[in-house]
Amino acid sequence: MMNKTEYHTRIKKVQTFIGDHHMDGFLVTDPVNINYLSGFTGDEGLLLITDQTAYLISDARFQVELMTQTITDYRITSDYFQTACQLFEEDHLVAVGFEASISYHDYDYLDENSVADIVPTENVIESLRAVKSDAEIQNLKKAAALAKQGYARLLTEILKPGFSEKEVADRFDFEMRRLGADKASFDPIIATGIDNTVKPHSVNSTRKIQIGDLILVDYGYFYQGYTFDVTRVCGMGVQSPEIHRLTAAVQDALLETMQMVAPGLPVSALWQKANDVLQIYHLDQYFTHGIGHGIGRSIHEMPTLSYRSDEPLQAGQVITIEPGVYVPGVGGIRLENDLLVTANGFENLTDFDLGLTEL
C-alpha cells in the first residue's frame, strides 16, 4: 500500500479534473482504479469523488478494509448504486462523471435514479495511472528484479527435456511466487518447437520439450500491485543458423527502437522503427503485432503504443518494447523489455539475457 499522501494527491487530481470539466462528482467503478485512488483492496464497490470529499461504497464483507485501508469516508450497503444515488442527492451534486466501461444494467440504473446529470468519460483514471510516481517506479523496479531472478532459475533448474510446456509453466509459476512475486499477471507462456513458437500468443500444451527445440518464454508477475512483462528465447541445445539470424534481427529491432525512447517522441515512431529494422533483414512481413504497451497496475495499460497514434511519450511512463517475427516452418522469435521513460531518455528495467541462450 502506498502512503496516504500519495492517495490524497491522486484524489486531488481527479477533483481538479472534475472542476476543469464543469462537474462536481466522479464515480469510479473499475476495481483497479478504485484501489489506485484509495488503497481499498476489496474486489467490489464504488468510489464517489466529489469536489469536496470522497466516499468508498462497499458491503459488510469488506468492513475491516473500509475502516483500515482507505483514506476516504465510507458507506456500508448491500446496494452500491442506490447508495451512490443517495449521496448524489445528499451532497447536491449537479453533474457526475462516470467510467463508460460500466455495464448497461448499471448505466440504466444511474440514468433512471440519479438526480444529477451523468456524464460518460473514458480513460480519466487510466491517464493518471500512465505516469508513475517515485514509489510506483520503485515497485516496478523490484518486480523487474524478480523477472531476472526467475529467468535464471528457469534456465538452470526448470527447463529440462521431457517436461511438457504445462509442467514447465507450473513449476515456473511456483518458483516466481517463491521468489516473492504476488501472482501472475497472465499465465506464463512456454512455447516450444516450430509449430508453437510461430504463434504470437501460444497456449501451453502437453507437448514435451525435446533436444533441439527453440523455446519462447513470455511471463509477467505482480510485486506489491505492479507488474513486469518480459519475453525471452532460448534453445534446448544448439539452434540452426537461421534461428540465430532471426534472433539477431529481432534483437537489433528491439535495441534500435529502445534507443529512440524519450519524452515527446510520437508513439507511432516506435513501431515504424522496429519495422524498418526488420525490413533490412527481409523479415518485416513476419512482424504481425504491435510494438508494445504500457504496464503498471495492469499488464496492458496506457499509453497505447499504436502505430496510428501521434501521442507523445511522457517521463514517468513505463512501457514494453516487443518486436517479433514468426516464420512458418522455421520458428518464432520475440524479445521484450520494460522501459521507464525518463526526463532524458529511458532506463531499461529488464536488462538481462537478451541473446539466444543454448542450454
Side-chain angles (χ1 to χ4, degrees):
M1 185 174 179
M2 298 288 166
N3 63 56
K4 291 184 178 181
T5 300
E6 183 131 357
Y7 292 120
H8 282 297
T9 299
R10 294 170 183 177
I11 286 179
K12 286 289 186 184
K13 288 180 180 179
V14 179
Q15 289 172 328
T16 299
F17 171 86
I18 64 179
D20 290 345
H21 290 78
H22 310 291
M23 297 183 285
D24 49 9
F26 193 90
L27 188 63
V28 186
T29 51
D30 182 286
V32 176
N33 289 341
I34 291 172
N35 175 262
Y36 172 79
L37 292 167
S38 71
F40 178 63
T41 59
D43 56 10
E44 290 190 36
L46 303 175
L47 175 62
L48 174 62
I49 299 173
T50 75
D51 54 2
Q52 299 296 322
T53 189
Y55 304 93
L56 207 300
I57 303 166
S58 192
D59 60 71
R61 293 174 299 164
F62 303 110
Q63 182 171 352
V64 173
E65 289 90 339
L66 289 167
M67 294 173 62
T68 61
Q69 291 180 337
T70 182
I71 62 163
T72 66
D73 193 357
Y74 64 89
R75 297 290 186 272
I76 295 176
T77 178
S78 60
D79 193 326
Y80 305 157
F81 283 92
Q82 180 187 61
T83 300
C85 288
Q86 289 171 352
L87 288 168
F88 294 175
E89 187 170 4
E90 290 173 14
D91 284 15
H92 308 290
L93 302 184
V94 176
V96 176
F98 69 94
E99 296 183 294
S101 56
I102 67 172
S103 70
Y104 178 79
H105 176 273
D106 293 336
Y107 165 76
D108 188 53
Y109 183 90
L110 287 175
D111 189 45
E112 290 292 326
N113 294 278
S114 172
V115 297
D117 291 333
I118 55 173
V119 183
T121 68
E122 290 188 349
N123 294 328
V124 173
I125 313 304
E126 288 81 358
S127 295
L128 297 179
R129 284 168 46 191
V131 177
K132 274 60 179 179
S133 68
D134 290 343
E136 291 179 293
I137 290 168
Q138 289 308 307
N139 279 347
L140 283 159
K141 287 182 175 181
K142 290 175 182 177
L146 292 178
K148 180 178 181 178
Q149 294 175 50
Y151 190 62
R153 298 284 179 86
L154 180 72
L155 295 182
T156 58
E157 300 177 21
I158 301 174
L159 279 174
K160 304 293 182 183
F163 286 143
S164 71
E165 294 174 346
K166 287 184 176 180
E167 289 171 326
V168 170
D170 288 344
R171 290 167 181 256
F172 184 53
D173 182 71
F174 176 82
E175 187 63 25
M176 287 301 304
R177 293 168 189 266
R178 198 174 72 84
L179 287 169
D182 298 328
K183 62 179 180 179
S185 48
F186 59 93
D187 290 338
I189 297 171
I190 310 294
T192 65
I194 294 172
D195 292 339
N196 289 346
T197 57
V198 295
K199 303 171 186 175
H201 283 277
S202 182
V203 176
N204 296 329
S205 71
T206 57
R207 183 187 185 278
K208 296 185 184 297
I209 297 173
Q210 304 170 29
I211 297 296
D213 274 350
L214 174 66
I215 303 169
L216 185 150
V217 181
D218 188 354
Y219 61 113
Y221 280 82
F222 285 103
Y223 175 81
Q224 296 293 306
Y226 291 83
T227 189
F228 67 83
D229 187 6
V230 168
T231 309
R232 294 291 187 263
V233 290
C234 59
M236 186 55 65
V238 176
Q239 300 297 295
S240 69
E242 183 62 7
I243 290 297
H244 279 276
R245 186 181 81 89
L246 298 184
T247 304
V250 173
Q251 186 170 339
D252 282 354
L254 173 60
L255 294 175
E256 292 199 31
T257 303
M258 284 170 49
Q259 293 305 316
M260 298 183 67
V261 170
L265 180 78
V267 296
S268 58
L270 298 171
W271 184 90
Q272 190 59 58
K273 181 62 176 181
N275 194 69
D276 288 348
V277 173
L278 293 173
Q279 192 172 38
I280 295 171
Y281 288 87
H282 306 291
L283 292 170
D284 53 303
Q285 68 269 37
Y286 301 113
F287 179 29
T288 56
H289 54 69
I291 190 57
H293 51 86
I295 56 171
R297 299 303 306 269
S298 301
I299 190 63
H300 292 97
E301 60 180 48
M302 297 181 72
T304 302
L305 304 186
S306 171
Y307 68 90
R308 300 186 184 94
S309 174
D310 290 328
E311 177 187 351
L313 291 174
Q314 299 178 57
Q317 292 177 333
V318 179
I319 62 173
T320 71
I321 302 293
E322 50 178 308
V325 295
Y326 311 90
V327 184
V330 178
I333 302 291
R334 182 169 66 255
L335 296 171
E336 179 179 25
N337 274 344
D338 301 349
L339 308 182
L340 167 66
V341 184
T342 65
N344 299 313
F346 71 94
E347 180 181 349
N348 183 4
L349 305 184
T350 51
D351 188 13
F352 65 91
D353 293 345
L354 200 57
L356 177 63
T357 302
E358 293 175 319
L359 303 174

